[in-house]
Amino acid sequence: MKKSPMKLESSQTISGVDFENYFQPGSLKEALEIKAEYGRDITIAAGTTDLFVAYYERLHTIKNWLDLSKIDELKYIKFSEKNVKIGAMTTHLALKESEELKGKFPVLQAAAADVGSPQIRSRGTIGGNIATSSPSGDLLTPLLSYQARFKLETAGKSRWAAAEEFFTGPKQNIMGPKEILTEIEVPLPKNDSSGYWIKIGRRKALVISTLNFSLVLEFNKEKISRAGLAMGSAAPTPVRLKKIEEMLVGKSLDELDHRKLGEEVKKQIAPIDDVRGTKEYREDVAFETMINALEDIESRRG
Amino acid sequence: MAKLDVELTVNGEKYNLKVGSQERLLDTIRKQLKLTGTKEGCSVGECGACTVILDDKAVNSCMVLTAQVDGSQIITVEGLESKGGLHPLQKAFIEKQAIQCGFCTPGMLMSALALIKENPQPSKEEIKTALEGNLCRCTGYQQIIEAVEAAAEEWGV
């Protein structure tokens, strides 16, 4: 039954049923031990901007909470010669404001600036965005384009997962019951690179993407030496479009047939009809977006 | 489960509170502290009526567990007015007629305050971005943006 929007009072109040356990460890080590003990019976709270929507008026059904917000060792953006390492509890706001990220990963930064609203960006985290694994997660497409990998830790062990192997379905991923996502590592693109990001939605702010798109091209002289193309809300998971990437590599921008590439993008995605748009609409927008992206990059490179 | 002990500084005053583990910051502010200036609108982070300032950042208080923010500094709309009278932002909202029904106003004021504290001379675009998480369904945004511009000009911390 649909709740009346004119409800007098939220049922999510202080008189509700309390959780059984609320853990707020100050270190990753403690957090991993708690996760090892509870497995799937504990819910991780990062920025909680997705969680509170998913559990609207039924927060009490979550029995055990693992709140990572006090773990300062998971909040950082560290650059080295080869890559950037980002702590999982780094907020969208911190990504948006990082000067170094602006120069080296403009597409990721533009995506972070387009998430929700200032209120959402100051709480929501990159780790939460990844672990929630929504097909429309705004940071996920740039992370696919830049070929990021994610560090998954358990008490005593860790493994790395490539972004494109991580997502398995809508809000599903390969994480095991005892694992916590702790770090995101993104290799630095070559100095000569250009990118394009766009989020399509019904309005500019506070919107879940009807479609999002990121393209990163690296150049050697004027030839494309590497391409990273990804789209969100275009398939059951955010997807990297490798076939198109292959069509771009080795060519110079003026050798590309934009319309043909746009048509190919349409073929490579598998969108659905939902409240934010139809399959047909998404395919048409994907086509246009691919053309716009190439034109935009071409005009900026002169 | 037993209540959790938290210490919060709200509008400069320190409170030691016992909170339920599922208590949202919004509930603590409205029901325990009786500061009802902060409004509950959509309850899912889309309208911004419940915006407060948490450690210098605007947040939706409906999406934060009070237990998560133990030790934090919070400013609500009640923190604006002082013995000297209304805050420049409040005065500007009145002067520019940026209030009609008033339900979104406390949240708008908090988003504007967070902006001006960090960026005393914001451009119009920066004001629009700062307010993008606050919905208004009757006043119209133009007067609100003008009010923030006027306040920043006059006061710009």
Side-chain angles (χ1 to χ4, degrees), chain A residues 9-10 12-14 17-20 22 24 48-49 52 56 67 70 93 97 117-119 121-122 206, chain B residues 1 21-24 27 31 43 46 51 57-58 60 62-63 67-68 70 111 118 129 132-134:
Chain A
E9 201 169 355
S10 167
Q12 242 169 51
T13 61
I14 50 179
V17 187
D18 278 328
F19 312 131
E20 281 172 17
Y22 184 84
Q24 192 179 63
T48 67
T49 52
F52 273 50
Y56 174 55
D67 172 9
K70 301 286 185 204
L93 179 68
E97 291 188 338
S117 65
Q119 293 95 318
R121 291 192 289 272
S122 60
L206 276 175
Chain B
M1 169 182 184
S21 57
Q22 70 150 308
E23 186 168 328
R24 301 168 305 166
D27 301 323
K31 305 211 164 164
S43 317
E46 287 185 4
T51 303
K57 307 274 185 258
N60 294 311
C62 74
M63 303 197 103
Q68 278 187 296
D70 183 21
S111 288
E118 185 168 324
T129 302
E132 72 184 11
N134 294 80

Side-chain angles (χ1 to χ4, degrees), chain B residues 6-147:
Chain B
V6 295
E7 187 184 291
L8 298 179
T9 304
V10 182
N11 302 331
E13 261 185 69
K14 201 172 270 187
Y15 295 91
N16 287 292
L17 302 170
K18 287 197 183 299
V19 301
S21 57
Q22 70 150 308
E23 186 168 328
R24 301 168 305 166
L25 182 57
L26 175 64
D27 301 323
T28 307
I29 289 169
R30 285 183 59 89
K31 305 211 164 164
Q32 286 220 46
L33 305 181
K34 309 283 183 208
L35 296 171
T36 52
T38 304
K39 304 302 181 199
E40 177 158 17
C42 70
S43 317
V44 288
E46 287 185 4
C47 79
C50 68
T51 303
V52 300
I53 298 181
L54 169 67
D55 295 329
D56 300 326
K57 307 274 185 258
V59 303
N60 294 311
S61 63
C62 74
M63 303 197 103
V64 178
L65 290 175
T66 307
Q68 278 187 296
V69 298
D70 183 21
S72 295
Q73 301 265 350
I74 290 149
I75 304 173
T76 69
V77 70
E78 288 87 350
L80 280 177
E81 198 180 342
S82 66
K83 280 185 192 133
L86 291 180
H87 186 275
L89 263 171
Q90 292 171 308
K91 285 185 192 159
F93 268 61
I94 295 168
E95 275 163 27
K96 297 284 173 188
Q97 304 201 7
I99 310 168
Q100 185 159 267
C101 88
F103 197 83
C104 73
T105 311
M108 289 283 180
L109 287 167
M110 289 297 102
S111 288
L113 182 68
L115 168 70
I116 297 179
K117 280 192 161 206
E118 185 168 324
N119 179 1
Q121 289 166 320
S123 67
K124 200 165 210 160
E125 277 312 304
E126 287 169 330
I127 294 171
K128 284 184 184 172
T129 302
L131 299 181
E132 72 184 11
N134 294 80
L135 298 188
C136 167
R137 295 285 93 135
C138 70
T139 307
Y141 295 97
Q142 205 51 47
Q143 298 96 303
I144 296 173
I145 292 162
E146 281 169 15

Side-chain angles (χ1 to χ4, degrees), chain A residues 18-286:
Chain A
D18 278 328
F19 312 131
E20 281 172 17
N21 287 299
Y22 184 84
F23 296 100
Q24 192 179 63
S27 73
L28 176 60
K29 187 171 173 286
E30 286 169 81
L32 291 168
E33 282 164 10
I34 296 161
K35 188 71 174 124
E37 192 185 332
Y38 285 84
R40 297 225 189 272
D41 295 329
I42 199 161
T43 300
I44 293 182
T48 67
T49 52
D50 276 318
L51 196 66
F52 273 50
V53 178
Y55 283 87
Y56 174 55
E57 294 206 325
R58 53 187 189 97
L59 276 184
H60 60 279
T61 63
I62 299 176
K63 291 289 169 235
N64 303 304
W65 288 67
L66 177 53
D67 172 9
L68 304 184
S69 65
K70 301 286 185 204
I71 305 180
D72 289 339
E73 64 191 291
L74 292 179
K75 301 169 188 172
Y76 55 84
I77 303 175
K78 278 189 243 168
F79 278 83
S80 72
E81 278 172 24
K82 282 190 197 153
N83 56 40
V84 62
K85 290 175 188 283
I86 303 171
M89 288 297 289
T90 304
T91 61
H92 302 302
L93 179 68
L95 297 175
K96 180 181 180 237
E97 291 188 338
S98 162
E99 278 300 319
E100 259 191 304
L101 215 57
K102 186 192 272 177
K104 296 188 168 114
F105 296 98
V107 175
L108 179 62
Q109 186 165 55
D114 271 352
V115 173
S117 65
Q119 293 95 318
I120 304 281
R121 291 192 289 272
S122 60
R123 295 296 295 171
T125 64
I126 185 170
N129 205 244
I130 296 166
T132 297
S133 301
S134 164
S136 59
D138 287 330
L139 299 186
L140 311 182
T141 26
L143 290 170
L144 284 162
S145 286
Y146 283 120
Q147 298 183 12
R149 58 179 194 150
F150 310 143
K151 191 179 190 182
L152 309 176
E153 290 195 57
T154 55
K157 256 200 312 202
S158 71
R159 63 170 172 148
W160 287 94
E164 60 182 293
E165 288 159 10
F166 183 80
F167 308 103
T168 54
K171 302 209 168 180
Q172 284 165 18
N173 58 50
I174 62 164
M175 281 176 76
K178 296 179 178 180
E179 284 179 322
I180 296 178
L181 170 66
T182 57
E183 187 177 77
I184 295 89
E185 186 189 279
V186 200
L188 282 180
K190 291 220 189 76
N191 279 336
D192 188 11
S193 68
S194 296
Y196 183 87
W197 157 260
I198 191 164
K199 170 173 176 166
I200 313 277
R202 294 219 166 154
R203 56 197 294 274
K204 262 171 132 179
L206 276 175
V207 79
I208 294 172
S209 293
T210 304
L211 201 79
N212 61 44
F213 176 106
S214 77
L215 175 63
V216 177
L217 299 177
E218 288 177 20
F219 294 88
N220 190 355
K221 308 252 165 72
E222 282 313 305
K223 300 270 187 215
I224 296 167
S225 55
R226 196 189 75 75
L229 173 62
M231 295 184 74
S233 289
T237 66
V239 282
R240 189 172 156 199
L241 303 178
K242 277 190 161 170
K243 209 166 163 195
I244 319 268
E245 292 176 2
E246 284 163 18
M247 294 168 75
L248 298 170
V249 171
K251 307 246 172 54
S252 64
L253 282 172
D254 55 12
E255 288 171 334
L256 299 175
D257 181 340
H258 297 181
R259 291 191 71 82
K260 196 177 150 207
L261 286 160
E263 288 294 345
E264 198 58 38
V265 165
K266 251 170 119 164
K267 281 186 215 153
Q268 296 293 315
I269 57 175
I272 56 166
D273 291 335
D274 70 10
V275 290
R276 285 178 283 279
T278 61
K279 175 181 190 298
E280 200 184 357
Y281 171 79
R282 288 184 160 102
E283 284 172 351
D284 286 350
V285 172

